[in-house]
């Protein structure tokens, strides 16, 4: 009786162990995948954010409009306040050839046009001197093809034949600098040059000396404070 009870207990324990062993789901292994012991692969890194868009281009320079007030210069009245002496400086045209232009005692004017030049210093118009390009000392009195007669700012171009006559030649005959940091002795302030042809105003960024002196062109040089409008001059001749 005692021996049978011991055998029964052993059988019952064995059966219980068998049941516990089989609880893993049909006897399969409970070891998770990747049983080789290696760590799982890391998740892929997130994609980098897109680069920021490029900054917008700077706005184009503001060009002042041409004045709606038209000033007639047929009477050759003075324009601007006096700042320079009349005539050429000692380093300007004194009778010798300047920038390819000779000083003629009898200047032929088969070709005759006018350009207007305005020079502003901190918003104030300065008068372009009279008698630029005119040598009046006897016996060598003569005119260069580019010259002025008065304080109106009109630049006369008189020559035997059409050609290319420039702002650089005018300043060379006048004997004044025309540089990015120095216009006729005006220095230490920003300088901007505008050219107006048939009502269209453009800013001349560089090579000011090459601006052509053509008929009814307005050349405006701004030194210092910005001007709010481009002057509008007219005259009856070319």
């Amino acid at each position: 009786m005692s021996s049978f009870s011991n055998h029964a207990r052993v059988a019952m324990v064995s059966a219980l162990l068998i049941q516990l062993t089989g609880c893993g789901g049909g006897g399969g292994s409970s070891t998770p995948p990747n049983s080789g012991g290696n760590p799982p692969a890391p998740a892929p890194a997130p994609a980098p954010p897109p680069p920021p868009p490029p900054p917008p281009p700077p706005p184009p320079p503001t060009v002042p409009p041409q004045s709606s007030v038209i000033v007639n210069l047929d009477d050759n009245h003075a324009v601007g306040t006096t700042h320079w002496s009349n005539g050429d400086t000692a380093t300007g045209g004194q009778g010798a050839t300047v920038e390819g232009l000779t000083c003629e005692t009898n200047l032929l004017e088969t070709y005759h046009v006018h350009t207007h030049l305005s020079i502003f210093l901190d918003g104030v118009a300065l008068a372009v001197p009279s008698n630029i390009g005119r040598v009046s000392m006897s016996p060598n009195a003569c005119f260069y093809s580019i010259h002025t007669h008065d304080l109106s700012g009109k630049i006369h171009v008189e020559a035997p034949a059409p050609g290319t006559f420039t702002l650089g030649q005018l300043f060379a005959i006048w004997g004044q600098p025309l540089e990015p940091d120095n216009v006729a002795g005006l220095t230490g302030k920003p300088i901007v040059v505008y050219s107006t042809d048939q009502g269209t105003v453009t800013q001349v960024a560089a090579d000011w000396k090459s601006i052509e002196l053509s008929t009814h062109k307005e050349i405006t040089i701004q030194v210092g404070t910005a001007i709010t409008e481009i002057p509008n001059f007219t005259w009856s001749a070319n």
Side-chain angles (χ1 to χ4, degrees), residues 2 14 30 36 40 57 60 74 83 90 108 113 127 202 229:
S2 175
S14 297
S30 60
D74 281 339
H83 183 84
L108 298 177
V113 300
T202 56
E229 60 182 13

Side-chain angles (χ1 to χ4, degrees), residues 85-96 98 135 137 144 171-177:
S85 299
N86 291 328
D88 302 332
T89 69
T91 59
Q94 300 296 323
V98 178
V135 178
M137 293 185 298
Y144 290 92
F171 272 74
I173 292 169
W174 185 9
Q176 293 283 11

